[in-house]
């Protein structure tokens, strides 16, 4: 029986503790417990992620199936025990209690659903860790739910998010975007400090400069998995699916070093960054160009490929900083969102000079314009 407003004369029900609420979410996997329903119980309301799960009673308070309470060992004081509770979507919580359908759901059937669902969740969560999701989607409409990831080694329990569409590409807009990132990061840190999460998972589809800046903010306090959106399948991916072969990307570098105290780093993954693009930024600066074989928009999706490019960027740039003592680095990037965050995580503000990050727009001249610096 779903929780509902009680009458004045009804005995006050015991409130569930935080540990009990967390237990219900854990054993259900955040998915409706009703047999055959795989609905995720986190949804989007006006761009904000919200809990839409309903805590339903198998043996209700003076309601559906209450006549079976004694038979199943419950009293009025123990009906709030978690063994009598199921986490459900709204539709199924109503279905099991409705006067026209409740007879189809005797206690045995509901206890069986609960047991089978929780056993199924245990089968894929025994080795899983508690995860906090970061949703940074500022291009296009917001996501309606946190993605369901069959291959993830973690259980997503909560999300911090910014899904307000970004469309102000003025200096003031970029400054506000940085402030928004800092606010999101503050929420993330507050959640982490509670000590409930072992890992974090990032879902990002936003303007590249904001993602690089977000990557700089994210620390190594806990391990991260960064997902990338695969448009054809409409799935978020990180690890290469079993049975598939990883296509070699064969990264290469072109280095031009003189006496400049500025360095342009151009990373071309999704498309070509031309000499003209670089010249328009800083014609006299030293240059580090990182390319891959056959660049295109679907070229790097999986974690091993991302790490390969990130390693080259971090190690070679830091080597050049130590050797030449640059005062400024200009970063031009054409590539997927997940790698942008990892590039940001490679930048140590205490060890690197000022980094200027540029936004790409094919229709403007020049194609790369300054967005923000860190």
């Amino acid at each position: 029986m779903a929780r509902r407003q009680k009458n004045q004369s009804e005995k006050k029900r015991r409130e569930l503790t935080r540990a009990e609420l967390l237990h219900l979410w854990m054993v259900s996997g955040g998915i409706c417990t009703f047999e055959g329903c795989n609905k995720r119980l986190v949804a989007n309301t006006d761009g904000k992620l919200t809990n839409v799960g309903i805590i339903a009673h198998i043996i209700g308070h003076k309601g559906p199936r209450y006549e079976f309470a004694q038979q199943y060992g419950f009293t009025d004081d123990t009906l709030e025990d978690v063994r009598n509770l199921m986490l459900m979507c709204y539709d199924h919580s109503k279905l099991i209690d409705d006067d026209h359908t409740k007879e189809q759901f005797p206690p045995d059937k509901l206890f069986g659903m609960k047991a089978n669902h929780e056993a199924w969740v245990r089968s894929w969560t025994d080795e899983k860790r508690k995860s906090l999701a970061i949703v940074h989607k500022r291009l296009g409409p917001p996501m309606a739910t946190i993605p369901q990831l069959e291959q993830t080694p973690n259980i997503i329990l909560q999300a911090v998010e910014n899904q307000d569409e970004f469309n102000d590409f003025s200096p003031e807009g970029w400054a506000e975007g940085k402030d928004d990132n800092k606010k999101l990061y503050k929420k993330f840190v507050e959640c982490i400090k509670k000590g409930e999460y072992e890992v974090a998972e990032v879902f990002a589809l936003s303007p590249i400069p904001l993602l690089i800046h977000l990557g700089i903010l994210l620390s190594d306090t806990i391990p991260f998995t960064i997902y990338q959106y695969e448009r054809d399948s409409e799935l978020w991916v990180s690890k290469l699916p079993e049975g598939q072969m990883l296509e070699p990307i064969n990264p290469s570098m072109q280095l031009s070093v003189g006496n400049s105290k500025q360095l342009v780093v151009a990373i071309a993954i999704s498309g070509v960054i031309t000499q003209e693009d670089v010249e328009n930024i800083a014609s006299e600066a030293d240059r580090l160009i990182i390319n891959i074989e056959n660049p295109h928009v679907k070229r790097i999706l999986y974690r091993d490929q991302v790490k390969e490019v990130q390693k080259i960027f971090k190690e070679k740039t830091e080597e050049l900083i130590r050797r030449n003592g640059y005062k400024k680095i200009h970063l031009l990037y054409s590539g997927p969102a997940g790698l942008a965050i990892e590039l940001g995580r490679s930048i140590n503000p205490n060890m690197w000079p000022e980094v200027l990050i540029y936004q790409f727009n094919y229709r403007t001249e020049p194609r790369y314009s300054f967005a923000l610096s860190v």
Side-chain angles (χ1 to χ4, degrees), residues 91-128:
D91 289 346
H92 285 121
S93 73
K94 299 297 288 184
L95 184 68
I96 67 171
D97 285 354
D98 189 88
D99 287 342
H100 298 94
T101 53
K102 64 184 180 182
E103 298 301 326
Q104 301 174 30
F105 302 101
D108 275 351
K109 186 169 186 175
L110 294 178
F111 280 119
M113 280 189 194
K114 176 178 171 71
N116 291 337
H117 182 87
E118 293 178 2
W120 171 70
V121 170
R122 282 196 303 274
S123 73
W124 53 266
T125 61
D126 282 346
E127 302 299 325
K128 297 195 176 192

Side-chain angles (χ1 to χ4, degrees), residues 168-186:
D168 183 359
F169 296 90
S170 68
E172 294 77 17
W174 288 115
E176 184 176 352
K178 288 177 67 175
D179 288 341
D180 290 341
N181 275 357
K182 292 174 183 177
K183 292 174 185 176
L184 183 69
Y185 176 67
K186 182 179 179 181

Side-chain angles (χ1 to χ4, degrees), residues 155-220:
I155 306 171
I156 298 174
L157 297 180
Q158 186 179 347
V160 295
E161 49 108 23
N162 186 345
Q163 298 202 67
D164 296 331
E165 187 169 0
F166 184 87
N167 49 30
D168 183 359
F169 296 90
S170 68
E172 294 77 17
W174 288 115
E176 184 176 352
K178 288 177 67 175
D179 288 341
D180 290 341
N181 275 357
K182 292 174 183 177
K183 292 174 185 176
L184 183 69
Y185 176 67
K186 182 179 179 181
K187 291 180 184 178
F188 166 75
V189 170
E190 288 171 352
C191 290
I192 293 300
K193 284 182 177 178
K194 295 177 182 177
E196 297 174 355
Y197 306 101
E198 301 167 85
V199 293
E201 299 179 271
V202 183
F203 304 90
L205 195 60
S206 299
I208 291 300
L210 294 181
L211 295 182
I212 294 174
H213 178 252
L214 179 66
I216 293 170
L217 294 175
L218 293 175
S219 68
D220 291 325

Side-chain angles (χ1 to χ4, degrees), residues 42-50 52 142-146 161 163:
V42 177
N44 188 290
T45 305
D46 296 328
K48 304 297 182 183
L49 293 174
T50 185
V52 295
M143 293 190 295
T145 64
I146 296 176
E161 49 108 23
Q163 298 202 67

Side-chain angles (χ1 to χ4, degrees), residues 215-370:
I216 293 170
L217 294 175
L218 293 175
S219 68
D220 291 325
T221 306
I222 60 175
F224 282 87
T225 299
I226 297 175
Y227 290 87
Q228 306 203 91
Y229 188 66
E230 207 286 299
R231 295 180 185 275
D232 288 346
S233 64
E234 298 183 345
L235 293 175
W236 292 84
V237 299
S238 175
K239 186 179 179 181
L240 183 72
E242 291 185 11
Q244 292 190 23
M245 295 291 291
L246 206 59
E247 182 183 3
I249 57 175
N250 299 323
S252 62
M253 290 185 298
Q254 301 170 19
L255 182 62
S256 175
V257 175
N259 297 316
S260 178
K261 289 302 178 182
Q262 298 189 46
L263 174 67
V264 175
V265 180
I267 305 172
I269 306 299
S270 298
V272 175
I273 299 176
T274 67
Q275 289 296 327
E276 183 179 2
D277 291 329
V278 175
E279 291 282 344
N280 286 330
I281 298 302
S283 59
E284 301 300 321
D286 292 351
R287 301 173 189 180
L288 170 62
I289 313 296
I290 302 173
N291 295 295
I292 65 168
E293 191 177 77
N294 186 27
H296 57 77
V297 293
K298 301 177 185 177
R299 198 67 173 90
I300 289 189
L301 287 173
Y302 300 110
R303 183 173 58 202
D304 290 346
Q305 296 170 320
V306 167
K307 292 296 185 183
E308 187 176 358
V309 175
Q310 179 197 25
K311 184 174 185 290
I312 294 171
F313 165 69
K314 178 178 174 62
E315 292 184 354
K316 192 61 182 179
T317 303
E318 291 184 344
E319 176 191 329
L320 292 171
I321 292 171
R322 290 193 299 270
R323 185 195 305 169
N324 300 316
Y326 294 114
K327 302 300 182 183
K328 281 186 179 180
I329 293 177
H330 304 267
L331 180 56
L332 282 63
Y333 174 70
S334 173
L339 177 53
I341 294 177
E342 292 288 12
L343 295 178
R345 295 184 72 206
S346 302
I347 298 171
N348 183 342
N350 295 320
M351 302 295 293
W352 288 44
E354 181 184 13
V355 180
L356 286 72
I357 305 169
Y358 293 79
Q359 169 72 6
F360 176 79
N361 187 333
Y362 186 86
R363 298 185 178 185
T364 62
E365 185 59 41
R367 301 194 305 171
Y368 283 88
S369 59
F370 171 72

